[in-house]
Amino acid sequence: MFYFKSQCLALGAILFPCAVVFAQQSAESSLLSEVQVSAPKYPQKLSQTGKVISLISRAQLDQMTGKSLAEVLQSQVGISVNGARSAPGSNQEIYVRGANTGHVLLLIDGFPVNDPSHISQVMDWNLLDISSLERIEILKGGQSTLYGSDAMAGVINLVTQKTSSKQVQGNVQVQAGTIGELNTTAQIRGSIAKNQWNVQVRDFVSQGYSAAKDTVGNYEKDGFRQQQVHLAWSRPMGQKSWLEVYYQWNGNKSNLDAGPFVDERDYTAKANSSSIRLQYQYRGLNTSWYLRAFHEIIHREFKNDSTFIAANAWTNFSYSTYHGKSQGLEWYGKWSLGNEFVLLAGTEYRYQNTSQSDYSISAFGRYDSPSLAPEKANQSIGATYATLQKNWQMGGIEVGTRWNKSSNFGDFTTFNINPYVFLSKEWKLFANGYTGFKVPSLYQLYSPYGNSELKPELGSTIEWGISYLNADWSARVVGFQNQVRDGIVFQSKNVDPYGQYVNVSKQSTQGLELEGAYRRGAFNSSLNYTFLDGSITNKFAGKDSTYSSLIRRPAHALVLNFGLRLSSQWQVSLLHHWQARRTDFVYDEALFSVVAKELSPYVWAELQSSYELNKHFHVNLIIKNLYNQKFIESYGYATQPLNAVLALKYRW
């Protein structure tokens, strides 16, 4: 069930209060309980603001056992994840409020996570899962003032489960699915003297099904395997300081197909990421500060062997490798100035590089593409930022700004302003204004198609809304408009290398988000609706070309969920997700051009039930695609059939 709390909210590292927080409420929660939102910037209870946040708690994630991270996000208002319901290991693209996939920033415990080797710098969502998470926080609107590049449409913060000061405790979970899934997770945590620790390992295997749409009935199953290791250690450093160290390794391997409707029996993809994050915090009476550092390495490789050659294949063999490195250092502090004034200020430095190479063999011999080396393909950016917050009994305001200095394109600034007012005990009115930016990727700058003269993409967001809460009902309505200028697109040319990335795009997206919920006794229900309308204008050779920006994104989406607690131990829920028709663009080899393909609307349904056998054993069942809908997310690729996942969890 969705709810919000118009009282002080614990916003941890975000360091702004959030007067409007919606979350799918677990059966154990109450509308009157205080909302807890984690710490991207600073862990402290703050008064209200108009910033829009959605929260998915650990209790809800337990009920979603058997779903991927992409599937969890897919049913959230304003979010569309193309590939969430496709074969395991498929490419996944996340869109927040209709913006491009690279315009949402992923955080883990407030640390930025991306892939410098990717064309859009986005992380491979197949490397992530929900088993290690304490909750998920979703911030809408431009958040570049605090979070920097990529946070133009929003921020998704994955908050991991922390170390424990209690005695040793842990859990083991085994889940099996009808499409050949077996997922095993084990976690143990505890403390020794003042040292707190947490260890978690995971192994997930899926026999899967053909990633390409099977048109003849003999396509192979494209399997997927994911493995993860999470380690955390923390301890107090005196009476006012605390040190935390977190290490994470994720890896996966998947079979791929050659393209839409094309089976490929020996095309494989491997990816792994290794990251270490360190955080030192000091908490005084009126002053607190943090020192944070991270180091992350991502490696991806794709191999198309020659033992099987698809009918329309251009090459007999290909092998590509992509390697990216990200590093960062940040210091920030918070000062309580009195009279309800709060100042946050900080400075940070980020660096990234990439190395890439690929070659292929065809009837014409071997071809090696120009490679990228980290000595050339690297960039850095430094920033200083500050926000000032003032709260009154009937409302409040936050203003902030960020100054950025890039190694490639000089300096520029962003800002935010977030006022709100309580109209009554139940009603709240808010409005927000943001600017944001996204720096060009290393591929866009330094690849054979790169352009070292590229500038950052710049965006602005205006949003306004109203929220309501009483004992049984809650609701929120948000209207928004996003503008992007200097958007980066690929422009074809008639000479080698026959294309280059350029800043010629303008994008406009506007929409409406509606959320509502009702709860009475053992029954609860929630509804969310998203409306989008957007356009892109590209200017080539002095001519403007305007078209819809909603590629693979529905203009209308509706999610309806009913839940019922049958007893203190047993609960069930039924979810329906309707997506309107969408448009995909594919390359037609017969026409030697890109053509539009309309994708039909569909209804996705899930039936979920969980039962607490006792304080140690928990059983969860989820049936996906309940009506066995035949639908398409990407033209020419398969989606999940009717399937079920059963999970058994033991805790001690």
Side-chain angles (χ1 to χ4, degrees):
M1 178 176 176
F2 288 88
Y3 72 105
F4 68 88
K5 172 79 171 168
S6 59
Q7 301 296 326
C8 293
L9 306 179
L11 281 186
I14 299 177
L15 191 64
F16 45 72
C18 173
V20 185
V21 173
F22 273 77
Q24 285 185 317
Q25 181 183 2
S26 67
E28 292 77 10
S29 300
S30 167
L31 280 173
L32 300 179
S33 66
E34 188 174 76
V35 179
Q36 297 293 320
V37 180
S38 157
K41 286 293 178 192
Y42 193 82
Q44 182 180 354
K45 293 180 181 179
L46 299 175
S47 58
Q48 307 90 325
T49 188
K51 291 188 176 181
V52 180
I53 294 181
S54 296
L55 170 67
I56 306 172
S57 69
R58 180 65 250 176
Q60 302 166 262
L61 293 174
D62 283 338
Q63 295 178 3
M64 297 178 188
T65 300
K67 300 174 69 170
S68 67
L69 175 60
E71 289 178 287
V72 171
L73 295 173
Q74 175 74 307
S75 60
Q76 302 301 304
V77 67
I79 296 182
S80 177
V81 186
N82 188 74
R85 293 160 179 159
S86 297
S90 297
N91 184 47
Q92 297 172 348
E93 299 172 335
I94 183 166
Y95 306 104
V96 175
R97 289 181 170 176
N100 292 340
T101 184
H103 291 173
V104 57
L105 176 63
L106 173 66
L107 305 173
I108 296 181
D109 295 325
F111 290 84
V113 179
N114 52 33
D115 182 357
S117 70
H118 192 279
I119 293 177
S120 299
Q121 294 188 149
V122 296
M123 186 70 171
D124 181 0
W125 291 83
N126 289 299
L127 287 168
L128 307 168
D129 80 295
I130 65 174
S131 64
S132 64
L133 302 183
E134 182 64 30
R135 57 186 168 269
I136 301 173
E137 300 166 357
I138 305 168
L139 287 72
K140 305 286 181 58
Q143 304 296 332
S144 286
T145 295
L146 285 183
Y147 303 114
S149 180
D150 301 2
M152 294 175 66
V155 164
I156 297 175
N157 184 39
L158 308 180
V159 183
T160 62
Q161 296 177 2
K162 297 301 185 292
T163 56
S164 174
S165 59
K166 300 179 181 179
Q167 296 180 347
V168 175
Q169 54 185 270
N171 63 79
V172 175
Q173 178 175 289
V174 178
Q175 69 182 51
T178 57
I179 56 175
E181 296 178 355
L182 181 62
N183 185 5
T184 305
T185 304
Q187 180 188 45
I188 185 169
R189 55 182 177 173
S191 62
I192 301 176
K194 294 183 179 181
N195 299 282
Q196 300 179 15
W197 50 271
N198 182 16
V199 178
Q200 179 172 317
V201 294
R202 177 175 182 263
D203 183 76
F204 172 76
V205 179
S206 173
Q207 296 179 5
Y209 48 91
S210 176
K213 184 70 174 178
D214 190 346
T215 57
V216 296
N218 63 356
Y219 286 6
E220 70 158 350
K221 293 181 179 180
D222 294 313
F224 177 74
R225 184 169 191 177
Q226 181 186 68
Q227 296 176 307
Q228 297 176 316
V229 177
H230 303 265
L231 307 173
W233 169 83
S234 64
R235 65 164 292 142
M237 308 294 288
Q239 295 182 345
K240 297 183 179 180
S241 300
W242 192 267
L243 177 64
E244 296 175 282
V245 180
Y246 182 81
Y247 173 80
Q248 180 176 354
W249 179 87
N250 301 321
N252 66 44
K253 178 180 179 180
S254 58
N255 295 333
L256 300 175
D257 279 326
F261 304 107
V262 181
D263 191 26
E264 173 59 75
R265 301 180 185 276
D266 53 14
Y267 188 14
T268 59
K270 295 180 181 179
N272 64 75
S273 68
S274 180
S275 59
I276 185 168
R277 295 184 279 274
L278 181 148
Q279 180 169 270
Y280 179 87
Q281 59 176 295
Y282 169 84
R283 294 186 182 181
L285 181 61
N286 296 313
T287 302
S288 303
W289 56 265
Y290 272 58
L291 180 64
R292 316 175 84 183
F294 69 90
H295 176 87
E296 182 166 28
I297 294 175
I298 297 177
H299 179 80
R300 297 179 294 133
E301 64 179 58
F302 301 86
K303 182 178 181 181
N304 193 351
D305 209 341
S306 57
T307 56
F308 176 88
I309 302 174
N312 62 342
W314 291 92
T315 62
N316 301 330
F317 179 90
S318 64
Y319 181 73
S320 305
T321 61
Y322 303 86
H323 187 84
K325 180 172 71 175
S326 296
Q327 297 172 320
L329 181 66
E330 180 179 19
W331 176 92
Y332 62 88
K334 172 254 182 182
W335 294 266
S336 298
L337 305 179
N339 295 321
E340 297 296 324
F341 279 99
V342 176
L343 173 67
L344 168 71
T347 184
E348 70 170 334
Y349 173 82
R350 297 184 196 174
Y351 171 83
Q352 57 181 208
N353 67 35
T354 185
S355 59
Q356 303 181 15
S357 64
D358 65 272
Y359 73 93
S360 60
I361 299 175
S362 68
F364 300 97
R366 174 168 171 158
Y367 172 75
D368 289 86
S369 298
S371 60
L372 289 179
E375 295 79 14
K376 176 183 178 182
N378 63 79
Q379 64 177 331
S380 62
I381 187 168
T384 300
Y385 57 87
T387 64
L388 182 64
Q389 181 184 357
K390 167 65 175 175
N391 297 294
W392 297 273
Q393 183 176 359
M394 293 303 296
I397 190 171
E398 178 189 310
V399 295
T401 187
R402 180 188 188 96
W403 173 79
N404 307 278
K405 177 70 173 180
S406 167
S407 61
N408 292 325
F409 28 75
D411 58 343
F412 53 96
T413 60
T414 59
F415 73 89
N416 68 282
I417 180 169
N418 311 104
Y420 68 95
V421 61
F422 292 108
L423 303 178
S424 69
K425 183 179 179 180
E426 292 85 12
W427 291 94
K428 178 183 178 178
L429 186 67
F430 55 92
N432 300 306
Y434 310 91
T435 61
F437 70 97
K438 176 179 174 58
V439 298
S441 70
L442 295 173
Y443 187 88
Q444 292 168 338
L445 287 167
Y446 300 113
S447 73
Y449 310 104
N451 181 356
S452 60
E453 301 299 319
L454 286 176
K455 299 178 294 184
E457 296 181 309
L458 301 176
S460 61
T461 300
I462 298 175
E463 63 183 18
W464 55 95
I466 190 168
S467 59
Y468 175 82
L469 170 68
N470 68 16
D472 298 320
W473 294 90
S474 61
R476 182 173 66 186
V477 180
V478 181
F480 61 88
Q481 183 175 48
N482 302 326
Q483 302 282 346
V484 177
R485 59 186 174 91
D486 294 329
I488 299 174
V489 299
F490 183 79
Q491 181 179 13
S492 298
K493 293 185 175 182
N494 294 325
V495 296
D496 189 46
Y498 304 105
Q500 187 179 43
Y501 289 98
V502 290
N503 292 102
V504 297
S505 176
K506 293 182 179 180
Q507 183 172 344
S508 176
T509 309
Q510 45 279 334
L512 187 69
E513 295 174 348
L514 306 177
E515 298 172 90
Y518 173 76
R519 179 181 181 86
R520 176 65 67 88
F523 173 77
N524 66 80
S525 62
S526 65
L527 177 147
N528 72 63
Y529 167 74
T530 305
F531 166 74
L532 294 172
D533 182 34
S535 64
I536 292 179
T537 299
N538 295 331
K539 190 170 185 177
F540 294 129
K543 297 181 180 180
D544 289 348
S545 174
T546 302
Y547 53 93
S548 172
S549 62
L550 301 183
I551 302 171
R552 295 180 176 175
R553 284 154 272 187
H556 305 273
L558 180 69
V559 179
L560 180 62
N561 190 49
F562 295 100
L564 183 64
R565 181 160 288 277
L566 301 175
S567 70
S568 61
Q569 297 171 294
W570 187 15
Q571 72 84 33
V572 296
S573 65
L574 178 63
L575 178 143
H576 286 81
H577 183 187
W578 172 75
Q579 289 211 80
R581 61 174 49 90
R582 292 135 290 123
T583 301
D584 198 358
F585 287 88
V586 298
Y587 183 76
D588 192 317
E589 295 180 354
L591 300 176
F592 297 101
S593 65
V594 175
V595 297
K597 298 289 185 180
E598 184 175 289
L599 309 181
S600 300
Y602 70 92
V603 175
W604 173 273
E606 294 174 354
L607 179 63
Q608 181 270 337
S609 178
S610 61
Y611 189 83
E612 292 280 352
L613 297 173
N614 52 46
K615 66 178 183 180
H616 297 294
F617 285 98
H618 175 88
V619 180
N620 189 81
L621 172 68
I622 184 167
I623 302 175
K624 305 180 187 179
N625 196 3
L626 187 62
Y627 308 133
N628 202 22
Q629 290 270 287
K630 308 298 182 183
F631 65 98
I632 299 173
E633 289 188 299
S634 299
Y635 182 76
Y637 291 91
T639 52
Q640 291 185 41
L642 169 67
N643 68 99
V645 179
L646 179 66
L648 176 63
K649 187 173 187 178
Y650 174 76
R651 296 184 290 252
W652 72 87

